[in-house]
Amino acid sequence: MANIMNGTVIVGAPPGKEQQAAGVGILLQIMMLVLSFVLSHVLRRKRFYYLPEASVSLLIGLIVGGLADFSGTKTSIRSWFNFHEEFFFLFLLPPIIFQSGFSLAPKPFFSNFGAIVTFAILGTFVASIVTGVLVYLGGVLMLMYKLPFVECLMFGALISATDPVTVLSIFQELGTDMNLYALVFGESVLNDAMAISLYRTMSSVNSHASSGENFLLVVLRFLETFVGSMSSGVGVGFISALLFKYAGLDVDNLQNLECCLFVLFPYFSYMLAEGLGLSGIVSILFTGIVMKHYSFSNLSENSQRFAAAFFHLISSLAETFVFIYMGFDIAMEQHSWSHVGFIFFSILFIGIARAANVFSSAYLVNLARPDNRKIPKKHQKALWYSGLRGAMAFALALQSVHDLPEGHGQTILTATTAIVVLTVLLIGGSTGTMLEALEVVGDGHDGPLGESFEGNNGYIVPSYDEGSSSGNKLKMRLKELHRSAGNFTALDRNYLTPFFTTQNDSDEENRDETESNARRPG
């Protein structure tokens, strides 16, 4: 059981002692999870936003790990509370990423699709390159530990993966503009896919550095990873939609089979992509988006309730466990704390790169949007501040220990862990105050799923004043790209949704409204 739950292997122990130690380890993990959930609930009920859920989990891990280290029981507790990277990538990360795609509200996501893609694809690319270049220059100028240029780009890619769980939680509690909520959430979802694709591309370039690959081959490798993984995930999602539409599983005596199949499809997508040498994380993310938008409506009502509750449950457990483990890990493991300068300047450079990401992407989006749909400065500042680091950055940093030579990977893991802890504890704790100061939450907002999408079937279709065009070619091209997002919305509504689903528009609207109300805190 211990080997399944956490990868623990106690060498040389008698079978009875091994089982007992495994039981103690699992008991410790369950106690920490229960404590984290209870404390988070109490603090949320008290509206104490200075210590969000992720911060509570991190602190519990830090405290337990620190006590174990101080009491001299580090070795025994380390054997109880240990798992291999395979456990993390196969069992913890997939449900978190799938739930990110599965919980996307389709209407606000597609109405802001152009802006979200700009922030998540172009913006993440800019952020990773800026971070990598600044870290390399910092090493050249002797400000911090020096890494080779490609390894700096790998670090820039992995640390560009954002996890604004704290910001989204506060949005749900206090209410905010729906467009801002869609931008923050949508960017964080696609940002993970972009970050892992960039990381894998840079890792491949690093491993083949001696072969002298040209830039075109690097670009092709990135497109192979990203587009191939995305296509795999979308394809599995469409297959599942057709299966649930035509297999006739939505009857009482087959609902158990229906639920089992729906749960298995995400892992099928993940393993298929990994088997093809692609990214399972990117694949399962897009499978989640497609299955929510098309497959979910083909389920019976009971199966819909089960699926929504099941994936929310396992993702909450996995994410809480990840933050607890990060806190535990930083207290127990031997980290390269001698490179404090690397951590300090990395945090500074990440802030600069995040600003380059948000404000340059917002500028391009606003060029394409009419005045009534431009992203205001306070929303841009909220987007910049919401760039916390979380599970994906930590997962890629774990991978870098195996991908990079000598102590380079350990240095990156130490820096990433410290950055995640600092951003979640310090920035996450001050997020509520900052968002209220920016006036993007609280009074005057109906909540994350409020009233701003009632008209026009929930979609905001851009209207353009051609007479006011400046004639700028870049601006006109951006407007054409922005129109293409609206064209995709029409394609989805008129062709894809009728082909892959059995529900009409009114049913879908009622279902979205029910889910929106269910996600609101009581």
Side-chain angles (χ1 to χ4, degrees):
M1 181 66 177
N3 292 340
I4 296 175
M5 287 295 294
N6 60 6
T8 299
V9 178
I10 303 175
V11 180
K17 291 291 184 182
E18 181 179 343
Q19 185 175 1
Q20 182 183 11
V24 172
I26 294 172
L27 176 62
L28 175 63
Q29 295 167 31
I30 292 175
M31 289 172 61
M32 295 168 73
L33 285 168
V34 170
L35 181 61
S36 176
F37 283 121
V38 171
L39 280 178
S40 299
H41 173 71
V42 170
L43 293 173
R44 190 166 61 247
R45 287 289 297 270
K46 299 292 184 182
R47 294 185 175 273
F48 187 80
Y49 300 118
Y50 298 102
L51 203 62
E53 296 176 29
S55 301
V56 171
S57 303
L58 271 172
L59 284 176
I60 290 174
L62 282 168
I63 292 170
V64 173
L67 290 175
D69 199 17
F70 180 76
S71 64
T73 59
K74 177 178 178 179
T75 303
S76 58
I77 292 184
R78 177 79 270 180
S79 66
W80 297 342
F81 197 88
N82 185 35
F83 59 78
H84 301 300
E85 283 79 3
E86 289 80 4
F87 174 75
F88 188 90
F89 282 100
L90 294 179
F91 293 100
L92 291 181
L93 202 56
I96 296 173
I97 302 302
F98 178 80
Q99 177 64 14
S100 297
F102 191 72
S103 57
L104 273 178
K107 289 180 171 63
F109 175 77
F110 285 116
S111 68
N112 289 278
F113 185 74
I116 289 171
V117 169
T118 303
F119 281 102
I121 305 300
L122 177 62
T124 303
F125 178 79
V126 169
S128 64
I129 297 298
V130 170
T131 302
V133 170
L134 290 177
V135 168
Y136 179 73
L137 292 177
V140 171
L141 297 175
M142 307 296 289
L143 296 175
M144 57 198 297
Y145 183 72
K146 185 178 179 181
L147 293 174
F149 182 64
V150 176
E151 293 182 13
C152 291
L153 293 178
M154 290 174 65
F155 175 67
L158 71 87
I159 207 65
S160 297
T162 60
D163 184 12
V165 58
T166 300
V167 178
L168 296 174
S169 176
I170 293 174
F171 281 169
Q172 290 178 334
E173 292 283 341
L174 301 181
T176 189
D177 179 76
M178 185 66 245
N179 291 298
L180 176 59
Y181 185 90
L183 283 176
V184 172
F185 191 31
E187 187 234 351
S188 70
V189 170
L190 296 184
N191 158 274
D192 286 342
M194 183 67 178
I196 195 171
S197 298
L198 283 172
Y199 175 82
R200 288 202 169 194
T201 302
M202 292 298 108
S203 178
S204 177
V205 171
N206 186 59
S207 62
H208 297 87
S210 59
S211 63
E213 288 186 338
N214 59 38
F215 179 74
L216 180 60
L217 289 178
V218 174
V219 173
L220 290 176
R221 180 168 283 108
F222 167 76
L223 292 176
E224 176 187 5
T225 301
F226 184 80
V227 178
S229 303
M230 179 181 69
S231 302
S232 172
V234 171
V236 171
F238 280 146
I239 291 171
S240 72
L242 292 174
L243 173 67
F244 290 113
K245 179 177 180 179
Y246 293 111
L249 300 174
D250 56 342
V251 293
D252 291 339
N253 60 335
L254 292 179
Q255 285 181 3
N256 187 43
L257 174 61
E258 186 180 39
C259 293
C260 289
L261 288 174
F262 197 85
V263 170
L264 288 174
F265 264 103
Y267 269 105
F268 173 75
S269 169
Y270 183 91
M271 296 304 174
L272 175 65
E274 290 292 328
L276 293 173
L278 303 171
S279 170
I281 295 299
V282 176
S283 179
I284 199 173
L285 169 64
F286 283 97
T287 299
I289 295 174
V290 174
M291 288 186 70
K292 174 59 182 293
H293 194 46
Y294 300 107
S295 308
F296 188 75
S297 62
N298 295 332
L299 301 178
S300 62
E301 291 186 7
N302 289 336
S303 296
Q304 287 183 2
R305 285 193 292 268
F306 168 82
F310 176 78
F311 287 118
H312 180 72
L313 168 66
I314 61 172
S315 68
S316 296
L317 285 171
E319 191 157 34
T320 302
F321 186 85
V322 167
F323 279 108
I324 289 175
Y325 180 78
M326 277 193 282
F328 190 87
D329 178 79
I330 201 170
M332 296 283 285
E333 288 291 334
Q334 295 296 326
H335 289 282
S336 304
W337 295 116
S338 58
H339 305 305
V340 177
F342 188 90
I343 298 172
F344 172 79
F345 283 104
S346 293
I347 294 174
L348 178 63
F349 296 155
I350 288 166
I352 296 172
R354 180 68 181 169
N357 169 352
V358 170
F359 297 115
S360 62
S361 298
Y363 174 76
L364 293 175
V365 171
N366 284 342
L367 281 179
R369 286 187 167 188
D371 290 338
N372 64 320
R373 292 217 61 214
K374 292 186 185 298
I375 303 174
K377 282 292 183 184
K378 62 181 182 180
H379 286 190
Q380 296 178 35
K381 294 175 182 176
L383 275 165
W384 175 78
Y385 203 77
S386 66
L388 307 181
R389 269 60 182 178
M392 177 58 74
F394 180 69
L396 293 176
L398 277 177
Q399 187 65 44
S400 72
V401 175
H402 303 286
D403 293 339
L404 299 180
E406 301 169 357
H408 293 184
Q410 190 61 44
T411 300
I412 287 177
L413 175 61
T414 299
T416 303
T417 307
I419 289 167
V420 170
V421 171
L422 290 173
T423 56
V424 170
L425 289 180
L426 300 181
I427 299 179
S430 62
T431 298
T433 303
M434 175 62 71
L435 295 178
E436 288 180 341
L438 290 173
E439 299 180 346
V440 296
V441 295
D443 296 337
H445 299 288
D446 296 316
L449 298 168
E451 305 300 328
S452 58
F453 281 81
E454 284 191 350
N456 198 20
N457 285 330
Y459 293 90
I460 298 180
V461 180
S463 59
Y464 298 97
D465 183 5
E466 298 295 340
S468 63
S469 172
S470 63
N472 185 290
K473 290 185 178 180
L474 173 62
K475 189 172 181 179
M476 295 302 295
R477 286 184 177 274
L478 289 170
K479 285 190 174 184
E480 289 297 327
L481 288 173
H482 200 60
R483 282 195 187 94
S484 67
N487 293 336
F488 176 77
T489 297
L491 172 68
D492 170 65
R493 187 170 49 201
N494 296 328
Y495 298 100
L496 296 180
T497 297
F499 182 76
F500 287 105
T501 69
T502 56
Q503 285 192 314
N504 55 38
D505 290 341
S506 61
D507 290 337
E508 186 179 345
E509 286 181 14
N510 293 334
R511 175 167 53 82
D512 288 343
E513 183 179 354
T514 301
E515 292 170 7
S516 301
N517 293 332
R519 282 198 294 265
R520 294 191 187 207

